[in-house]
Amino acid sequence: MSKIAILSDIHANADALQQVLAVCESVGVDKYVSLGDIVGYNAEPQLCLHMVNDLNPIAMVRGNHDDYTALDDEEMEGFNPNARKAILWTRSQLTIEERRWVGAAPLRMTLPGMPMTFVHATLDSPNSWGYVFDAYHAIDNFSYQLTQLCFCGHSHVPVAFCKRPFAAGPMRGVEEVPDWVQINNALPGNFDQMDTFAVKLEPGCKYLFNIGSIGQPRNHDPRASFAVFDDTARIITRYAVPYDIASAQQKVLAAGLPERLANRLALGE
């Protein structure tokens, strides 16, 4: 019996990761999973790599920023100019061994003996780096999901879907899980406190959870987002954790990375 923290899209933001790990310790997390994109965008890639490695994660998959960091591709087709600049800078900050390590993880992974699959983007085509934003995209993912639970990241926007058994029709029983994002007790826009979003797993249902991002959220909530699976209570809880955004911004600017990458941290976009 354990509590497993699922971390995604850290993106070299050590300030955010440190606060997330402090919460993990306080709630009794004993195992960790990384859904990829440990690097990119922000200013402390080497520190974040070592912090994740020190967690001895039980599962780890590769993200697109991890992939490009490991490669020597200068073009990086599909990346916007700011993301490309950040990857080129990140390569200069890491050793050859560190670049190989971050690029060595598989694209998807299922834990033996546990009903969980992990992928950075999508199960149906993980190396195409597609996104799951709505139930229609989730249907494709569920077609390839052989376990009860699947965790993904990549979009930086937390969202969850449930697939009920024996359902027919165009949606095939797939529906969004509102409790994954709905704030019940806090005022909208009050980002100075931590919020939690809990989902109790129903027997017979499959679930797809997008964790959101620790290092660069894009759901208009600048707090670091991650999740904890309590396999005894069968509850998955997402945490939205405040951290020192100004510190992370200052490091981005001091590194000479694009100003836009610093500004968006405070906006959650």
Side-chain angles (χ1 to χ4, degrees), residues 84-222:
R84 180 178 179 275
K85 288 176 183 177
I87 290 295
L88 293 174
W89 178 85
T90 297
R91 289 175 184 169
S92 74
Q93 303 300 303
L94 302 179
T95 66
I96 293 296
E97 290 75 19
E98 288 165 342
R99 288 178 59 189
R100 286 174 179 165
W101 183 80
V102 77
L107 291 172
R108 54 189 169 195
M109 184 175 181
T110 298
L111 280 177
M114 300 188 76
M116 294 186 287
T117 300
F118 307 105
V119 67
H120 181 68
T122 63
L123 287 178
D124 53 314
S125 184
N127 59 341
S128 296
W129 311 117
Y131 296 93
V132 178
F133 284 119
D134 55 36
Y136 291 98
H137 292 107
I139 289 171
D140 295 332
N141 200 86
F142 279 121
S143 298
Y144 289 80
Q145 183 176 323
L146 303 180
T147 54
Q148 183 188 19
L149 305 177
C150 180
F151 297 94
C152 69
H154 190 42
S155 70
H156 301 207
V157 177
V159 65
F161 302 94
C162 172
K163 186 180 190 305
R164 301 194 177 279
F166 314 118
M171 299 308 296
R172 304 178 209 170
V174 175
E175 57 190 42
E176 189 169 344
V177 180
D179 290 345
W180 193 240
V181 295
Q182 183 173 324
I183 298 177
N184 295 318
N185 299 317
L187 294 173
N190 181 12
F191 301 134
D192 295 329
Q193 66 181 40
M194 183 174 75
D195 284 309
T196 58
F197 312 80
V199 175
K200 176 73 172 177
L201 301 180
E202 298 181 34
C205 293
K206 281 187 176 182
Y207 292 88
L208 170 62
F209 293 96
N210 188 309
I211 302 306
S213 172
I214 290 175
Q216 195 200 75
R218 296 179 188 167
N219 58 327
H220 304 290
D221 180 344

Side-chain angles (χ1 to χ4, degrees), residues 4-17:
I4 304 169
I6 300 101
L7 316 177
S8 191
D9 296 276
I10 296 165
H11 282 300
N13 188 336
D15 291 281
L17 180 57

Side-chain angles (χ1 to χ4, degrees), residues 222-268:
R223 296 172 296 181
S225 179
F226 79 103
V228 173
F229 174 39
D230 184 330
D231 70 352
T232 302
R234 306 297 294 169
I235 293 174
I236 300 177
T237 304
R238 187 174 72 85
Y239 292 79
V241 181
Y243 72 96
D244 191 344
I245 292 174
S247 173
Q249 289 176 312
Q250 290 168 3
K251 292 170 184 176
V252 169
L253 297 175
L257 292 166
E259 184 177 359
R260 164 66 177 156
L261 298 180
N263 292 340
R264 71 187 304 174
L265 293 177
L267 302 174

